[in-house]
C-alpha cells in the first residue's frame, strides 16, 4: 500500500508524471471545516516549478480541482478528492529511458519490480511531481493545524555545503519559522542564499546537480501528543519524509550530534516558571518517547543531489544487456531542495495532524 | 496503535518493565517454518543485560516461552505468541519518579498523555526492556531472511565521538557484517572498542552517560523489493528504528553526507559485467525510489546518551508544581548503544522481511 | 476510514451524488495486467440507470476516465485512479431534505454525525450512486479473477416475496451463474422475473417501493484460500456487502436455514473420486473456518425496500423541531435490487481477489 | 492478519486449543479505566464449559492472567495482554484427525492452506476455545460501554427450530436485553428453553448436533455513531461475528424479512415528542447508512450445527487419498449456541466500542 499514509487522516496519492492527472484522496478530515482555497493555492505555488534558475523549465499551473468532499469551501465529511491535470508533458523525452536507466533514479529497480510494465515517462509514479498532491493534503493539514494553534515552517538549511542560519531549538517562535517560507529562495540568511544560488548555477553549468538539507519546525504542538514505540512523533514524521523522493536521512533535535554528547549535556532540564512547566533546552527536538514535550518539534532531512544530470554517466542497456553512456536531457531541477521546502512542511503537517487527531483517543 | 508494526508480518509488543511479563504476538509467518530456538536464544542473549561494565546490573535471563504458533519447533500458521517473565523487578526504586520526572525520559509526557495512570515503574511501556520482545520477532525474521540468502549484521559505529571502522558501502560481504556481532563489545576495530569502553567507564564514574551510532547492513536482498512512496525500504526501516528508545536520527547510504555531494559524485553508475548488471558504487545504501538495488542496504542510527544519570539535574515536582533536583539511582546502562546492536539488527530484519513478503504481490 | 476497503488490493471511493465527480483509487493490482476497458464499460452499464421502469429516470453514461495507473490499457504498478463526472444533477430537488429527513435514509443520522455540514444533495456520499466506482474496482477484479479461473455471477433471488430459481449449492457451473447476468432483468426464471416486474410496477404506482434478495456465486476458487478468524471468506465478503446501501442481511451456503439442521444433515461429506477429493454437498457455501473448500462460494444478501417513496410519511423538521409530512419526489428506483446485481458481483469479486492475493503469503 | 480486528481498539488473538496458552493483546483502551476483574471473570464463566448437558465435558477454569496493561486494576495506557493457560488437553484424541478431516470442520482446508503444518490438536487455532480471549476483550469493552450508558445483551433466539420470544425491535429496554443472560440456559422464555434443551439432548443421544440463532441488542448507543460505506455499524459487527466459528449468517433489524416489505412498511417514521426526536419503529435495527439512529442496535446471527458428531460420516484419508468413515469421539458441544451467547455479546461490544471511539473524530 505504497502510496497511502496515515491512520486518522489518510492520504492516497495517485497519478504519474505524464498520466492524465495526479491527485489525492484524503479521508478523515472532520466535517464542517472551512478550507481556504486561495491560501492552499498559494501554498501549492511555492512548490510549483516557476522558471527560476534552480528549477525545471516544465511549467505546470498545478490548479487542483476538488471532485468531492468539499461543498461551498467547507468539508462535508466525505473523502476529499483533488485532481491536478497534467498538461505540459513531453513524453518523447523519455523514450530512451525504457532501455537505459538513469543512475540514482528508480528506473532500473522499477523495471525489475514491475516487469517492464512501469510508466517510464517522466519517472512515472516515482516522479517528484507526485509531491504536488502531497502538498494538497499537507496544505490542508497546515490550515487545520493552525486552527489549533500549531504553525509549521521550513527553510533550506544547507545546499552544496553552504549553511543557512539554523533554527534555534529552544525559544523558536512562529515568526522565526515563517521567515524563510515566503521568499522565492527560502532561507533565513539571504547572504547564504546567494551563495547557494551560485553553487546551484555552477553545478547546472557543469551539467551537474547538488543536494542539501531542509530544516522544519512545528511550534505550538501541545505536550502529550504522540504514541509510544512505533507511532511516535519521530516514526510518523520520518515515514512521510522518506516518501519524498531523494530524502536519505532524517534527524530530530540535536539528531546525530546528540550521539556525541553526554547525558548531562543532552537532557533537557525542567523548571517551574510562574506555575508553568518549562524546559531549559530542546535538544530532544520536541519529543521524548515519541510524545511531544510542548517544545518545538524540529526535524532535518537530507536530500541527495538530483540524479538527472546532463554530464555523461555510466549506465547500461537493460534490453541488450550491454554498457551505455547516458546524458539526461529532459527538464530537471539542478537542485530539488528549493522546491522541497513546502513539501517538507506538508509532510510534517500530515504526520502531526494525524497524531493530534489520535490524541483524541487519550 | 503504537505498539504494533508491519503489514504482512505484524508484531504486537506488550508489557511493561515491571509488569508480570513482556512479549509479542507475531502474525504472518508462513506455516511450516522451522525456528531454531537455540539460535534465537543466543540472539536474545546478545541484548540481555550481562553484568558488563556498560550495562545495567539488572539481570534477566530473557527466556521466551511460546504460548502459541509453534508446534515441535515448526510454525503452524497461527500467530506466534511469546512471553518473557519479568522477575528481577525492584519497583521501589521508582516511587519518586511518579512525582519527579527524569529529564530526557518519557516520564513527563507519559504523565500528561495517560493522565497520571501510566505505569511508572522502570519506565513502564517506554522502557528499553521492551526491545527484548522486538528481538524475539526480529530474531525469527533474521532466520527467515537467512533462509532466503539475506544476512543482516550491525556494529557500534561510534560512541562518545570514538569511531569504529565503518562498513564499506560497496563490496560489503556477509562475513564483514557479522564480524562485530559475535563479540561482547561489537565493533569491527577492537582498538576503537577499547577507547569506547574507556569513554563509557569515565562517563559512568562521573555519574553521566554517553550516546553513539549503530550501523547496520543487509547483504543479499534481491533487487526490486520495496514499494514506492510511503512503503519504501527507507520508510519501513526508519519507522521501526525510531521505535527503539533513544534513536534520534536515521540515514541510509551516504545519508546526510550525500546532501553535500554533486549528482555526478553521488549517483551509483552501472555496468554490465559478465552479463550481469553491477553497480560501481553504493552511495544510495541499497535503495532507490524505496526499492532495493541489489546492493547492500546500509543504515545508521543515532542514539542519544542514556537520560538516566546520577548527576544532579534540574527537574520538577509534577504534583507540587515546584522545582526539584534529581539524581537517578536505579539500575541503568551508562550507554545503551552496546546492547542496541542486536536490537537494530532485529528492527532492520523485521522491516526487510515484511517487504520481502510484500514482493510476492508483484 | 469508512470509504476504503481491502488489504492487498485496496479501494478508496470518493465523491457525492452531486459533486463534480465520483471515483476510486485502487492500489495493489500487479503491474502488467491488461484491463479490457470495453468489457469494464459493459459491466458498468449493467449497473447504470437505463430508463427501465424499475430504475430512476436520472441518466448517467458512467464513463470512467483513468487518471493514472494504466498505460495503453495495461496496469503499470502505480495506483489506478478512475473518475466518473456527475453531469445529470438536479440539486434543487433536494433542498427540502436539509430540513426534513427521509425516513429509512441516512439524512437524519448524517446531520447528527456531520453537524449539518453533510452534502445533502442526492444523498451525498451515502447515495447508491457511489456503487458506480465500486463497480469499476470490482469489474477489474472480476477480470483478474477470470484470468485465474474464477467466475462470479449473481441473480435476483427474490423481489417482494417472488422467488427466482435459486442457485444449486453443489454442482454449480460457470454457465449457471452467468445465465441471469446478461439479461435486462437478471433472473434465472423469466416467469418469476415477470411477476417481480409486476410487483415493482404496482409498488411504483402506489408511490411505494419493494426490496429483495440477491444471490451471488463464485465458481473456480481454489481450495485453501482465506484466513482464520476475522479475515475469512465470510468476514471479507460481508464487510464489503454491508457497504452497499440498503443491505441488511448476509448469509452463506444454507445460511440461516442451517441453524435448523442437524450436524449430520449440514456437514458436507467428502469422498475421493478418481484420486481427487470431492464434496458430496455444499451446505457450507464454499468455506469452512473462513477458508475456501473448492466448492462454489455462495452468498445471499437482503436489500430493504428503497426508502425514498412518494407516499406521505411521518418525518420531522430538524431545524424547527416539529412534525412534518414528507413525500419524496426526486428521481429514485422503486426497487434497487435489479441494478444491485452487478454491484454484488463487484463486492464479492473485490473480497475474493484480495484473499486470493493474500494466499500468496501461505 | 487473520486474528486481529479493530481500528481504535484492536484485539490480537493468539493460541491454539492445545498450545501452552491462549490469549489476546488489546491496544487502544484509554488509560485510567478501572476494569472490574470479578465482573470480567463472571462474564468469562458464562462462556466456559461447565459440565452442562449441552456442553463439552472438557473443563477449563478460564482464569486470565494479565501480563501487562493493567496496574492495580486500572489501565495504564500500554497494551493489555491476557493469557489463559490450557490445562485440560488430551491431544491423543486428535491423532487420527491429521489424516481424516472432520466434515464441516476446518481440518481439510487448514491442511491445504498450511501445507500440513497446522496444529491439528483440538482444532488448533480454529477451535471454539479461541472465543475465550475474544470474551476477555469483549468483556472489557462491555464494561467501558456501560460507563457510557450502552448496555448489550443477547439470548438464544432459536435452537433446532424452537424459537424463543424475540426482542422487540422498538422500545427495548436494558432490562429486557439482560433478562436471559444471567440464566444457565439464556432464553427469554423458559418454556422454549426446555424444549430447546430436549432437542439438544435428543440430538446428543443420536450422536448428532443442532444449530441455532443468537439475537443480540445494544441499548443506549448515541445517535450518529458509525461510518459511511465500509465501516458502518453493520460492516463492523458482521466482520467480528463471522469470526466466531460456525456463524453462517448475520442480519440487522428486520433483516431478510425486510426484503419482503414495502418501503412504506419498513421505513421507520419519525416524530418530535416533547422536543425530542423519536422513531415510531426500529425496523432498521438501529442503523441507517451505517450510522446509529439512537434506537437499539439489533442483530441476529445463525450458527450451523456443531460439525463434530459421533454419527459415522463420509470422510477421506488425506494421505492415502481414499475414502474413510469417521466417528468423532473427542469432547464436543452438541450445540455451541448456548455458550455462544456471551461470545456474541463480546463481538458486538468490540465492534460498537471501536465505532464509539471513532466518533471522537467527528
Amino acid at each position: 500500500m505504497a502510496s497511502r499514509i496515515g491512520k486518522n487522516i489518510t492520504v492516497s496519492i495517485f497519478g504519474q508524471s505524464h498520466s492524465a492527472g495526479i491527485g489525492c484522496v484524503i479521508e478523515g478530515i472532520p466535517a464542517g471545516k472551512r478550507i481556504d482555497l486561495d491560501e492552499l493555492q498559494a501554498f501549492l505555488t511555492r512548490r510549483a516549478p516557476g522558471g527560476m534558475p534552480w528549477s525545471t523549465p516544465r511549467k505546470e499551473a498545478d490548479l487542483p480541482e476538488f471532485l468531492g468532499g468539499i461543498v461551498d469551501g467547507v468539508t462535508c465529511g466525505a473523502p476529499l478528492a483533488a485532481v491536478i491535470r497534467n498538461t505540459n508533458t513531453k513524453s518523447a523525452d523519455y523514450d530512451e529511458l525504457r532501455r537505459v536507466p538513469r543512475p540514482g533514479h528508480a528506473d532500473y529497480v522499477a523495471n525489475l519490480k514491475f516487469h517492464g510494465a512501469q510508466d517510464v515517462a517522466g519517472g512515472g509514479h516515482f516522479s517528484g511531481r507526485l509531491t504536488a498532491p502531497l502538498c494538497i493534503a499537507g496544505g490542508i493539514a497546515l490550515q487545520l493545524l493552525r486552527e489549533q494553534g500549531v504553525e509549521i515552517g521550513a527553510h533550506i538549511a544547507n545546499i552544496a555545503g553552504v549553511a543557512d542560519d539554523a533554527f534555534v531549538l529552544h525559544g523558536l517562535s512562529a515568526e522565526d519559522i515563517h521567515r524563510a517560507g515566503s521568499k522565492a529562495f527560502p532561507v533565513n540568511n539571504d547572504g547564504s542564499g546567494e551563495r547557494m544560488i551560485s553553487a546551484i548555477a555552477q553545478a547546472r553549468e557543469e551539467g551537474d546537480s547538488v543536494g542539501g538539507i531542509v530544516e522544519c519546525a512545528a511550534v505550538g504542538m501541545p505536550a502529550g501528543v504522540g504514541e509510544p514505540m512505533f507511532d511516535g512523533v519521530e516514526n510518523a514524521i520520518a515515514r512521510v519524509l522518506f516518501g519524498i523522493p531523494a530524502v536519505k536521512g532524517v534527524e530530530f533535535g540535536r539528531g546525530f550530534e546528540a550521539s556525541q554528547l553526554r547525558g548531562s549535556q543532552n537532557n533537557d532540564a525542567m523548571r517551574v516558571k510562574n506555575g508553568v512547566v518549562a524546559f531549559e533546552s530542546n535538544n530532544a527536538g520536541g519529543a521524548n518517547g515519541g510524545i511531544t514535550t510542548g517544545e518545538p518539534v524540529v526535524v532535518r532531512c537530507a536530500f541527495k543531489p538530483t540524479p538527472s544530470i546532463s554530464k555523461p554517466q555510466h549506465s547500461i542497456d537493460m534490453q541488450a544487456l550491454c554498457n551505455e553512456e547516458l546524458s539526461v536531457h529532459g527538464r530537471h531541477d539542478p537542485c530539488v531542495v528549493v522546491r522541497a521546502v513546502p513539501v517538507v512542511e506538508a509532510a510534517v503537517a500530515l504526520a502531526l495532524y494525524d497524531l493530534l487527531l489520535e490524541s483524541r483517543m487519550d
Side-chain angles (χ1 to χ4, degrees), chain A residues 165-189:
Chain A
D165 298 348
F167 285 156
V168 293
L169 292 171
H170 186 58
L172 193 65
S173 71
E175 200 185 335
D176 293 338
I177 64 173
H178 289 313
R179 189 162 296 130
S182 54
K183 303 177 184 175
F185 197 86
V187 287
N188 289 326
N189 182 323

PDB file of all heavy atoms in Angstrom, chain A residues 165-189:
ATOM      1  N   ASP A 165      21.379  30.042   8.400  1.00  0.00           N
ATOM      2  CA  ASP A 165      21.245  30.150   9.856  1.00  0.00           C
ATOM      3  C   ASP A 165      20.221  29.124  10.315  1.00  0.00           C
ATOM      4  O   ASP A 165      19.074  29.111   9.843  1.00  0.00           O
ATOM      5  CB  ASP A 165      20.749  31.554  10.247  1.00  0.00           C
ATOM      6  CG  ASP A 165      21.733  32.645   9.837  1.00  0.00           C
ATOM      7  OD1 ASP A 165      22.875  32.304   9.466  1.00  0.00           O
ATOM      8  OD2 ASP A 165      21.344  33.827   9.866  1.00  0.00           O
ATOM      9  N   ALA A 166      20.632  28.259  11.221  1.00  0.00           N
ATOM     10  CA  ALA A 166      19.731  27.187  11.691  1.00  0.00           C
ATOM     11  C   ALA A 166      18.645  27.762  12.591  1.00  0.00           C
ATOM     12  O   ALA A 166      18.788  28.854  13.154  1.00  0.00           O
ATOM     13  CB  ALA A 166      20.536  26.134  12.453  1.00  0.00           C
ATOM     14  N   PHE A 167      17.555  27.041  12.688  1.00  0.00           N
ATOM     15  CA  PHE A 167      16.549  27.367  13.713  1.00  0.00           C
ATOM     16  C   PHE A 167      17.181  27.139  15.082  1.00  0.00           C
ATOM     17  O   PHE A 167      17.916  26.173  15.279  1.00  0.00           O
ATOM     18  CB  PHE A 167      15.339  26.432  13.596  1.00  0.00           C
ATOM     19  CG  PHE A 167      14.426  26.734  12.431  1.00  0.00           C
ATOM     20  CD1 PHE A 167      13.611  25.734  11.903  1.00  0.00           C
ATOM     21  CD2 PHE A 167      14.325  28.012  11.879  1.00  0.00           C
ATOM     22  CE1 PHE A 167      12.741  25.998  10.842  1.00  0.00           C
ATOM     23  CE2 PHE A 167      13.469  28.289  10.819  1.00  0.00           C
ATOM     24  CZ  PHE A 167      12.673  27.272  10.301  1.00  0.00           C
ATOM     25  N   VAL A 168      16.908  28.026  16.022  1.00  0.00           N
ATOM     26  CA  VAL A 168      17.283  27.699  17.401  1.00  0.00           C
ATOM     27  C   VAL A 168      16.301  26.638  17.889  1.00  0.00           C
ATOM     28  O   VAL A 168      15.116  26.684  17.558  1.00  0.00           O
ATOM     29  CB  VAL A 168      17.239  28.936  18.321  1.00  0.00           C
ATOM     30  CG1 VAL A 168      18.322  29.925  17.941  1.00  0.00           C
ATOM     31  CG2 VAL A 168      15.865  29.599  18.304  1.00  0.00           C
ATOM     32  N   LEU A 169      16.797  25.657  18.623  1.00  0.00           N
ATOM     33  CA  LEU A 169      15.910  24.578  19.063  1.00  0.00           C
ATOM     34  C   LEU A 169      14.957  25.045  20.155  1.00  0.00           C
ATOM     35  O   LEU A 169      13.801  24.666  20.212  1.00  0.00           O
ATOM     36  CB  LEU A 169      16.734  23.386  19.564  1.00  0.00           C
ATOM     37  CG  LEU A 169      17.526  22.637  18.486  1.00  0.00           C
ATOM     38  CD1 LEU A 169      18.465  21.618  19.131  1.00  0.00           C
ATOM     39  CD2 LEU A 169      16.560  21.919  17.540  1.00  0.00           C
ATOM     40  N   HIS A 170      15.488  25.901  21.026  1.00  0.00           N
ATOM     41  CA  HIS A 170      14.726  26.347  22.190  1.00  0.00           C
ATOM     42  C   HIS A 170      14.372  27.816  22.007  1.00  0.00           C
ATOM     43  O   HIS A 170      15.237  28.613  21.638  1.00  0.00           O
ATOM     44  CB  HIS A 170      15.575  26.151  23.447  1.00  0.00           C
ATOM     45  CG  HIS A 170      14.842  26.451  24.723  1.00  0.00           C
ATOM     46  ND1 HIS A 170      13.691  25.807  25.095  1.00  0.00           N
ATOM     47  CD2 HIS A 170      15.108  27.345  25.714  1.00  0.00           C
ATOM     48  CE1 HIS A 170      13.287  26.276  26.260  1.00  0.00           C
ATOM     49  NE2 HIS A 170      14.118  27.214  26.652  1.00  0.00           N
ATOM     50  N   GLY A 171      13.127  28.155  22.244  1.00  0.00           N
ATOM     51  CA  GLY A 171      12.740  29.555  22.135  1.00  0.00           C
ATOM     52  C   GLY A 171      12.388  29.979  20.719  1.00  0.00           C
ATOM     53  O   GLY A 171      12.373  31.168  20.399  1.00  0.00           O
ATOM     54  N   LEU A 172      12.097  29.020  19.880  1.00  0.00           N
ATOM     55  CA  LEU A 172      11.745  29.289  18.493  1.00  0.00           C
ATOM     56  C   LEU A 172      10.307  29.807  18.429  1.00  0.00           C
ATOM     57  O   LEU A 172       9.407  29.250  19.056  1.00  0.00           O
ATOM     58  CB  LEU A 172      11.860  27.973  17.721  1.00  0.00           C
ATOM     59  CG  LEU A 172      11.842  27.978  16.211  1.00  0.00           C
ATOM     60  CD1 LEU A 172      13.055  28.707  15.642  1.00  0.00           C
ATOM     61  CD2 LEU A 172      11.841  26.524  15.722  1.00  0.00           C
ATOM     62  N   SER A 173      10.091  30.868  17.666  1.00  0.00           N
ATOM     63  CA  SER A 173       8.734  31.435  17.580  1.00  0.00           C
ATOM     64  C   SER A 173       8.113  31.138  16.224  1.00  0.00           C
ATOM     65  O   SER A 173       8.799  30.762  15.264  1.00  0.00           O
ATOM     66  CB  SER A 173       8.807  32.953  17.762  1.00  0.00           C
ATOM     67  OG  SER A 173       9.395  33.544  16.615  1.00  0.00           O
ATOM     68  N   ALA A 174       6.798  31.334  16.145  1.00  0.00           N
ATOM     69  CA  ALA A 174       6.092  31.144  14.877  1.00  0.00           C
ATOM     70  C   ALA A 174       6.651  32.099  13.829  1.00  0.00           C
ATOM     71  O   ALA A 174       6.787  31.743  12.652  1.00  0.00           O
ATOM     72  CB  ALA A 174       4.592  31.396  15.085  1.00  0.00           C
ATOM     73  N   GLU A 175       7.013  33.290  14.269  1.00  0.00           N
ATOM     74  CA  GLU A 175       7.595  34.255  13.341  1.00  0.00           C
ATOM     75  C   GLU A 175       8.908  33.727  12.757  1.00  0.00           C
ATOM     76  O   GLU A 175       9.147  33.803  11.553  1.00  0.00           O
ATOM     77  CB  GLU A 175       7.847  35.564  14.103  1.00  0.00           C
ATOM     78  CG  GLU A 175       7.998  36.790  13.244  1.00  0.00           C
ATOM     79  CD  GLU A 175       8.373  38.003  14.119  1.00  0.00           C
ATOM     80  OE1 GLU A 175       8.043  37.993  15.333  1.00  0.00           O
ATOM     81  OE2 GLU A 175       9.019  38.921  13.590  1.00  0.00           O
ATOM     82  N   ASP A 176       9.741  33.160  13.631  1.00  0.00           N
ATOM     83  CA  ASP A 176      11.026  32.616  13.172  1.00  0.00           C
ATOM     84  C   ASP A 176      10.846  31.597  12.055  1.00  0.00           C
ATOM     85  O   ASP A 176      11.588  31.593  11.076  1.00  0.00           O
ATOM     86  CB  ASP A 176      11.744  31.903  14.342  1.00  0.00           C
ATOM     87  CG  ASP A 176      12.168  32.865  15.434  1.00  0.00           C
ATOM     88  OD1 ASP A 176      12.293  34.069  15.151  1.00  0.00           O
ATOM     89  OD2 ASP A 176      12.350  32.398  16.582  1.00  0.00           O
ATOM     90  N   ILE A 177       9.881  30.693  12.252  1.00  0.00           N
ATOM     91  CA  ILE A 177       9.813  29.561  11.317  1.00  0.00           C
ATOM     92  C   ILE A 177       9.152  29.946  10.000  1.00  0.00           C
ATOM     93  O   ILE A 177       9.275  29.234   9.020  1.00  0.00           O
ATOM     94  CB  ILE A 177       9.077  28.357  11.943  1.00  0.00           C
ATOM     95  CG1 ILE A 177       7.612  28.692  12.238  1.00  0.00           C
ATOM     96  CG2 ILE A 177       9.777  27.882  13.201  1.00  0.00           C
ATOM     97  CD1 ILE A 177       6.809  27.492  12.699  1.00  0.00           C
ATOM     98  N   HIS A 178       8.472  31.091   9.971  1.00  0.00           N
ATOM     99  CA  HIS A 178       7.841  31.521   8.723  1.00  0.00           C
ATOM    100  C   HIS A 178       8.700  32.530   7.951  1.00  0.00           C
ATOM    101  O   HIS A 178       8.302  32.970   6.873  1.00  0.00           O
ATOM    102  CB  HIS A 178       6.465  32.137   9.005  1.00  0.00           C
ATOM    103  CG  HIS A 178       5.447  31.125   9.415  1.00  0.00           C
ATOM    104  ND1 HIS A 178       5.269  29.941   8.731  1.00  0.00           N
ATOM    105  CD2 HIS A 178       4.536  31.115  10.425  1.00  0.00           C
ATOM    106  CE1 HIS A 178       4.305  29.242   9.317  1.00  0.00           C
ATOM    107  NE2 HIS A 178       3.847  29.920  10.344  1.00  0.00           N
ATOM    108  N   ARG A 179       9.827  32.917   8.542  1.00  0.00           N
ATOM    109  CA  ARG A 179      10.649  33.960   7.923  1.00  0.00           C
ATOM    110  C   ARG A 179      11.057  33.582   6.489  1.00  0.00           C
ATOM    111  O   ARG A 179      10.936  34.364   5.562  1.00  0.00           O
ATOM    112  CB  ARG A 179      11.898  34.209   8.779  1.00  0.00           C
ATOM    113  CG  ARG A 179      12.702  35.422   8.327  1.00  0.00           C
ATOM    114  CD  ARG A 179      13.633  35.879   9.437  1.00  0.00           C
ATOM    115  NE  ARG A 179      12.890  36.348  10.608  1.00  0.00           N
ATOM    116  CZ  ARG A 179      13.115  35.953  11.866  1.00  0.00           C
ATOM    117  NH1 ARG A 179      14.069  35.080  12.121  1.00  0.00           N
ATOM    118  NH2 ARG A 179      12.390  36.422  12.857  1.00  0.00           N
ATOM    119  N   ALA A 180      11.512  32.332   6.320  1.00  0.00           N
ATOM    120  CA  ALA A 180      12.066  31.940   5.022  1.00  0.00           C
ATOM    121  C   ALA A 180      10.983  31.582   4.005  1.00  0.00           C
ATOM    122  O   ALA A 180      11.128  31.846   2.814  1.00  0.00           O
ATOM    123  CB  ALA A 180      13.001  30.738   5.215  1.00  0.00           C
ATOM    124  N   GLY A 181       9.891  31.009   4.495  1.00  0.00           N
ATOM    125  CA  GLY A 181       8.925  30.369   3.605  1.00  0.00           C
ATOM    126  C   GLY A 181       8.360  31.276   2.519  1.00  0.00           C
ATOM    127  O   GLY A 181       8.052  30.813   1.420  1.00  0.00           O
ATOM    128  N   SER A 182       8.221  32.558   2.827  1.00  0.00           N
ATOM    129  CA  SER A 182       7.565  33.443   1.868  1.00  0.00           C
ATOM    130  C   SER A 182       8.518  33.931   0.778  1.00  0.00           C
ATOM    131  O   SER A 182       8.108  34.572  -0.177  1.00  0.00           O
ATOM    132  CB  SER A 182       6.977  34.643   2.623  1.00  0.00           C
ATOM    133  OG  SER A 182       7.994  35.242   3.396  1.00  0.00           O
ATOM    134  N   LYS A 183       9.803  33.628   0.924  1.00  0.00           N
ATOM    135  CA  LYS A 183      10.775  34.097  -0.061  1.00  0.00           C
ATOM    136  C   LYS A 183      10.829  33.158  -1.263  1.00  0.00           C
ATOM    137  O   LYS A 183      10.580  31.965  -1.144  1.00  0.00           O
ATOM    138  CB  LYS A 183      12.171  34.177   0.572  1.00  0.00           C
ATOM    139  CG  LYS A 183      12.258  35.065   1.813  1.00  0.00           C
ATOM    140  CD  LYS A 183      13.659  35.029   2.413  1.00  0.00           C
ATOM    141  CE  LYS A 183      13.717  35.840   3.707  1.00  0.00           C
ATOM    142  NZ  LYS A 183      15.033  35.730   4.369  1.00  0.00           N
ATOM    143  N   ALA A 184      11.220  33.724  -2.410  1.00  0.00           N
ATOM    144  CA  ALA A 184      11.389  32.892  -3.597  1.00  0.00           C
ATOM    145  C   ALA A 184      12.466  31.846  -3.349  1.00  0.00           C
ATOM    146  O   ALA A 184      12.373  30.712  -3.813  1.00  0.00           O
ATOM    147  CB  ALA A 184      11.762  33.749  -4.793  1.00  0.00           C
ATOM    148  N   PHE A 185      13.492  32.258  -2.595  1.00  0.00           N
ATOM    149  CA  PHE A 185      14.551  31.319  -2.224  1.00  0.00           C
ATOM    150  C   PHE A 185      14.532  31.227  -0.699  1.00  0.00           C
ATOM    151  O   PHE A 185      15.076  32.100  -0.001  1.00  0.00           O
ATOM    152  CB  PHE A 185      15.907  31.798  -2.744  1.00  0.00           C
ATOM    153  CG  PHE A 185      16.944  30.731  -2.750  1.00  0.00           C
ATOM    154  CD1 PHE A 185      17.071  29.871  -3.838  1.00  0.00           C
ATOM    155  CD2 PHE A 185      17.787  30.552  -1.666  1.00  0.00           C
ATOM    156  CE1 PHE A 185      18.032  28.859  -3.839  1.00  0.00           C
ATOM    157  CE2 PHE A 185      18.742  29.549  -1.660  1.00  0.00           C
ATOM    158  CZ  PHE A 185      18.865  28.698  -2.745  1.00  0.00           C
ATOM    159  N   PRO A 186      13.900  30.216  -0.169  1.00  0.00           N
ATOM    160  CA  PRO A 186      13.528  30.212   1.257  1.00  0.00           C
ATOM    161  C   PRO A 186      14.666  29.899   2.226  1.00  0.00           C
ATOM    162  O   PRO A 186      14.824  28.772   2.664  1.00  0.00           O
ATOM    163  CB  PRO A 186      12.425  29.151   1.314  1.00  0.00           C
ATOM    164  CG  PRO A 186      12.688  28.243   0.142  1.00  0.00           C
ATOM    165  CD  PRO A 186      13.377  29.055  -0.902  1.00  0.00           C
ATOM    166  N   VAL A 187      15.420  30.922   2.558  1.00  0.00           N
ATOM    167  CA  VAL A 187      16.471  30.817   3.574  1.00  0.00           C
ATOM    168  C   VAL A 187      16.263  31.899   4.627  1.00  0.00           C
ATOM    169  O   VAL A 187      15.601  32.902   4.376  1.00  0.00           O
ATOM    170  CB  VAL A 187      17.879  31.001   2.961  1.00  0.00           C
ATOM    171  CG1 VAL A 187      18.297  29.777   2.157  1.00  0.00           C
ATOM    172  CG2 VAL A 187      17.919  32.249   2.091  1.00  0.00           C
ATOM    173  N   ASN A 188      16.865  31.676   5.795  1.00  0.00           N
ATOM    174  CA  ASN A 188      16.815  32.697   6.834  1.00  0.00           C
ATOM    175  C   ASN A 188      17.785  33.830   6.519  1.00  0.00           C
ATOM    176  O   ASN A 188      17.471  34.993   6.707  1.00  0.00           O
ATOM    177  CB  ASN A 188      17.152  32.080   8.197  1.00  0.00           C
ATOM    178  CG  ASN A 188      16.044  31.171   8.687  1.00  0.00           C
ATOM    179  OD1 ASN A 188      14.861  31.429   8.436  1.00  0.00           O
ATOM    180  ND2 ASN A 188      16.421  30.097   9.377  1.00  0.00           N
ATOM    181  N   ASN A 189      18.952  33.443   6.032  1.00  0.00           N
ATOM    182  CA  ASN A 189      20.020  34.398   5.775  1.00  0.00           C
ATOM    183  C   ASN A 189      20.200  34.542   4.262  1.00  0.00           C
ATOM    184  O   ASN A 189      20.682  33.616   3.593  1.00  0.00           O
ATOM    185  CB  ASN A 189      21.310  33.872   6.434  1.00  0.00           C
ATOM    186  CG  ASN A 189      22.468  34.825   6.268  1.00  0.00           C
ATOM    187  OD1 ASN A 189      22.604  35.467   5.214  1.00  0.00           O
ATOM    188  ND2 ASN A 189      23.300  34.922   7.288  1.00  0.00           N
TER     189      ASN A 189
END
